[in-house]
Amino acid sequence: MERESRIAQWLRRRAERAEAARPGARSAERGAPARGSGGRRWGGRGGQPAAEAAEAARDREVLLLTAAEAGFPLAPAAHPSGYGCSCVRIGCPTPGRHPVSFAWQTQATTDRAQIERWLRAEPEANFITATGRAHDVLDVPAEAGYAALARLEEREPAADAGVEPVLGPVALLGEGRMLFFTKTRGTPEDEDEWWPCELDSHPETMEEHPGLRWHCRGSYVLLPPSRLPDTSEGVRWLRSPSPGSPLPEPLALLETLTDACAEYALTADGREEPAPWPVR
């Protein structure tokens, strides 16, 4: 076979460049791998997951920073990894549901710059909010929560302007629990005014409170949009926080929540007498 001369090669390459410069050829080759892209088709199907991931990261950042602006102190938490947890603990009993650091209580902050640094350093991390400082959380079974939420929303339009709000932010933890965010009773000006409650729940005692849990000082809850293992739902807002909006008093919600929990316990366990909160 006769070798192609250098002049013939030059003419062929020139014709190929001219063909590639035509608008029709550009649009046809738009899905081809870009030079230096490692074969990734940014304009084709391969670019869609990257765009979706970037959008999800932006949405996640907005949700977390909005919660911080509303006064919720945040700290990074572990996240689901494979069949377990991102932490190094073998057989972690609460995968993706616990803070990364044992110093989470002092680490939790509303500082935007610090939260942004955490987000850049650990893009997959879940986040917790420390309770008992700026807010408490009343944590109930989801079925009881839906019933209580409907009753509280009925009362909300009738509330007079300037009075305590009926409802604040509400989040759903997977499909099993509902979280009602309230003012805290955990920071009295006079420490002697602190009053404990049988419903107080801490990370190490949550199993002792299968019904109504009161997360106050020394406790935390996962914040949306945290991911949970073995579920696609994760943690999500039903009523998101709004910076500057007041939180309701916990006692204003407590009666409605305990009534709903008692009805839930009666239905779930077939008990003849309703309990003040679900029992195991």
Side-chain angles (χ1 to χ4, degrees), residues 21-83:
R22 289 191 305 108
R26 283 184 182 176
S27 60
E29 293 180 3
R30 195 167 291 167
R35 182 175 297 177
S37 67
R40 180 175 294 178
R41 294 174 176 257
W42 293 107
R45 271 195 258 171
Q48 188 174 0
E52 290 177 352
E55 184 178 0
R58 287 193 297 270
D59 292 344
R60 173 172 174 264
E61 182 171 330
V62 168
L63 285 173
L64 292 169
L65 290 176
T66 299
E69 289 173 13
F72 300 174
L74 275 61
H79 61 85
S81 178
Y83 294 101

Side-chain angles (χ1 to χ4, degrees), residues 10 14 25 57 72 79 99 105 123 160 186 192 216-217 244 247 272:
W10 178 79
R14 182 181 179 186
F72 300 174
H79 61 85
Q105 292 191 65
D160 296 329
D192 291 336
C216 193
R217 57 170 62 188
L247 296 173
E272 294 183 1

Side-chain angles (χ1 to χ4, degrees), residues 143-149 151 255-265 278:
E143 289 186 33
Y146 279 117
L149 183 60
R151 295 169 192 170
E255 182 178 358
T256 302
L257 290 174
T258 52
D259 286 348
C261 285
E263 293 166 9
Y264 165 76

